[in-house]
Amino acid sequence: VQEEANLVKQDKLVRTKNERVPRLADLTMRPVFAGRKTQGNLEAHTNGLRFISTRGEMVDIMYANIKHAVFQPCKSEIMVLVHFHLKNPIMVGKKKQQDIQFFTEVVDASQAVDGNRRSMYDPDEMDDEQRERQLRKRLNEAFKDFCRKVENVARKNGYTLEFDIPYRDLGFMGNPNKEMVMIMPTLNCLCNLTETPFFVVDLSNVDHVHFERVTFMSKAFDMVLINKDFTKQPWRVDMIPNEEKDSIQEWLTDMEISYTEGPMNLNWKSIMSTVVGDDRFYMDTEEDEVTQKEAGWEFLRMFGRDDGSDEESEEESGYSENSGQEESEEESEEEEDFDSEDDDESDFDADDDLEEQGMDWDDMEREAAADDKRKKRDGDEDDRPQKKKRRR
């Protein structure tokens, strides 16, 4: 009863009669009813979708209550799915839920039963792989067709509903909730829909993104997505591999979301409580309108500041192409000094050096002979005063 207290009342489903209803059969729903696997059929009616389980349980999702609908075809995953992120939570069993998902697993029955590994050249194994590829293709087509029909039914009845498809090429590994998962952006969200609990961040609610633990020492960094509602704690994705940073920052720039980065993990509870009470947070002066201060999230910047977003990321990371060139020049100078020291000590290195300069053998022999004479002469001069000293 307490769970239902704050629910927004939903309209009653109007069932479509006199025409064929778009339907997907043999789906599994997540979250489940009462801890048991929930399987059944999903139908698209006049003002919403209805899922009826094999045990007779029913879930209605109104088109007007769907904030984001995502269709994720299976490529490397074991499932193809449709996911609904709702504006207001609805009851599933005895719990409020804001994310409802329907999926079908792409696991061939023969594979599930026969767990033994066979040779890749086994004709049966090759047949199984071929069947699985065909099954993936068939399920992807069936789900895609269903999504298109649902969009048409919604549009016909005055609702706007569009299914987003995640951008795989922008996906990255990260840990939003105790395990590493593949996180992919859609047009409106950043999400992981294959593992539970679902991770869905509506990008229209993100005010700013901060990257933590950005140093040359660490192999991974953490991403903090700050909610526009400062009373709520930010979303986090931890342990993102360093090589993903540039592509994530490019994507944020395309989405017109600001970002900063720093070397430390920050205390977001205290930061958010400070920010909530700051009326002039986005202004660059204090209350006297004279004293300068950092505007908005600029105070999170740890490596100086710059106005251009491209230059900004170079400033923040403390590294630029020029500095790289300078470093390599310094290194090469040091190497040259080191080589010259070696030249004084070792004849062999000197010969190599001469060889590199393009001298032939005769020139090198003459050079070596002259060098020996010079060393002998210098040695004789050094010995003379020492003999005089001994006489005294």
Side-chain angles (χ1 to χ4, degrees):
V1 180
Q2 198 173 6
E3 284 275 311
E4 294 183 43
N6 301 324
L7 282 181
V8 175
K9 195 172 185 300
Q10 298 294 316
D11 296 336
K12 285 272 185 287
L13 185 89
V14 178
R15 294 187 64 187
T16 303
K17 291 165 186 170
N18 310 327
E19 62 182 274
R20 203 167 170 197
V21 177
R23 173 183 293 148
L24 270 180
D26 301 326
L27 299 178
T28 306
M29 185 180 89
R30 292 196 291 191
V32 298
F33 272 102
R36 293 174 295 179
K37 194 171 183 182
T38 309
Q39 291 183 298
N41 301 339
L42 182 65
E43 299 174 345
H45 290 278
T46 306
N47 64 339
L49 297 138
R50 170 166 283 180
F51 176 79
I52 306 171
S53 80
T54 49
R55 294 190 294 270
E57 297 145 331
M58 229 183 298
V59 177
D60 291 343
I61 301 170
M62 300 298 120
Y63 299 138
N65 192 33
I66 295 172
K67 192 168 191 183
H68 300 298
V70 181
F71 159 51
Q72 185 174 304
C74 61
K75 197 169 184 182
S76 54
E77 302 87 3
I78 60 161
M79 61 178 72
V80 52
L81 61 88
V82 285
H83 186 98
F84 300 100
H85 182 64
L86 308 178
K87 294 175 186 173
N88 301 301
I90 60 171
M91 294 301 290
V92 175
K94 294 179 181 177
K95 287 190 175 179
K96 279 196 298 190
Q97 304 290 352
Q98 199 164 359
D99 287 277
I100 313 281
Q101 183 183 107
F102 305 96
F103 69 91
T104 296
E105 286 186 331
V106 188
V107 177
D108 202 56
S110 62
Q111 241 181 320
V113 175
D114 182 11
N116 298 326
R117 292 188 65 177
R118 293 179 296 207
S119 163
M120 61 183 285
Y121 300 110
D122 185 337
D124 292 341
E125 180 87 350
M126 291 163 89
D127 287 348
D128 286 349
E129 284 181 14
Q130 184 69 23
R131 269 201 299 278
E132 193 183 314
R133 269 199 298 274
Q134 287 170 353
L135 182 62
R136 280 175 192 270
K137 192 176 177 185
R138 199 163 63 244
L139 285 171
N140 283 344
E141 287 298 323
F143 271 69
K144 187 179 179 183
D145 189 48
F146 175 77
C147 292
R148 195 168 61 245
K149 286 176 180 172
V150 172
E151 286 175 348
N152 291 338
V153 169
R155 195 181 306 116
K156 196 167 71 177
N157 291 290
Y159 299 97
T160 53
L161 175 64
E162 278 187 27
F163 283 86
D164 286 343
I165 298 177
Y167 300 117
R168 281 179 192 281
D169 53 339
L170 295 175
F172 55 90
M173 295 301 289
N175 175 5
N177 193 72
K178 296 181 183 171
E179 67 173 323
M180 292 293 281
V181 295
M182 184 68 167
I183 293 168
M184 293 185 279
T186 68
L187 190 62
N188 303 298
C189 302
L190 185 66
C191 57
N192 169 262
L193 306 175
T194 49
E195 311 300 325
T196 53
F198 304 126
F199 177 72
V200 182
V201 177
D202 184 339
L203 295 174
S204 65
N205 292 335
V206 175
D207 191 54
H208 180 81
V209 174
H210 183 67
F211 297 91
E212 297 182 327
R213 295 194 304 122
V214 177
T215 66
F216 296 121
M217 306 288 283
S218 60
K219 291 181 179 176
F221 62 91
D222 305 331
M223 181 165 70
V224 179
L225 301 111
I226 301 167
N227 199 318
K228 284 182 178 172
D229 180 353
F230 292 166
T231 60
K232 294 181 179 173
Q233 284 302 299
W235 298 277
R236 289 188 70 88
V237 182
D238 296 334
M239 294 302 295
I240 304 169
N242 275 355
E243 55 268 22
E244 304 287 1
K245 185 162 75 81
D246 289 347
S247 61
I248 293 171
Q249 290 183 346
E250 276 177 34
W251 167 69
L252 288 172
T253 304
D254 291 343
M255 299 304 292
E256 297 182 349
I257 297 173
S258 62
Y259 63 84
T260 49
E261 58 182 53
M264 296 176 295
N265 283 113
L266 304 176
N267 183 343
W268 289 99
K269 207 166 188 177
S270 69
I271 288 173
M272 297 318 292
S273 60
T274 306
V275 166
V276 164
D278 187 355
D279 296 336
R280 299 181 63 81
F281 178 66
Y282 289 108
M283 300 182 190
D284 61 0
T285 55
E286 302 287 1
E287 284 184 12
D288 59 7
E289 298 188 5
V290 178
T291 311
Q292 294 289 312
K293 75 173 185 72
E294 297 278 23
W297 298 107
E298 288 291 311
F299 74 91
L300 294 173
R301 204 181 295 287
M302 297 292 179
F303 293 112
R305 51 179 291 189
D306 210 294
D307 292 326
S309 60
D310 292 339
E311 294 154 20
E312 186 178 302
S313 58
E314 286 176 5
E315 279 274 330
E316 288 160 9
S317 63
Y319 179 86
S320 68
E321 286 178 25
N322 294 341
S323 67
Q325 287 169 3
E326 285 164 18
E327 280 176 26
S328 60
E329 280 169 20
E330 283 171 21
E331 280 171 20
S332 60
E333 279 173 25
E334 282 171 21
E335 282 169 16
E336 282 169 20
D337 294 344
F338 189 72
D339 287 346
S340 64
E341 284 171 24
D342 281 2
D343 291 348
D344 296 341
E345 290 168 21
S346 163
D347 288 341
F348 182 74
D349 287 348
D351 285 353
D352 280 351
D353 219 6
L354 293 169
E355 204 171 346
E356 281 168 19
Q357 290 170 20
M359 289 189 174
D360 62 16
W361 281 108
D362 294 340
D363 291 341
M364 285 163 66
E365 280 176 5
R366 276 199 296 278
E367 187 81 26
D371 202 36
D372 288 343
K373 281 179 186 173
R374 190 171 62 250
K375 280 183 181 173
K376 193 168 183 292
R377 192 171 63 247
D378 292 347
D380 292 346
E381 285 172 7
D382 289 344
D383 288 344
R384 278 171 200 155
Q386 284 173 3
K387 286 172 187 172
K388 283 176 188 174
K389 279 176 189 172
R390 279 179 197 150
R391 278 174 199 159
R392 284 176 195 171

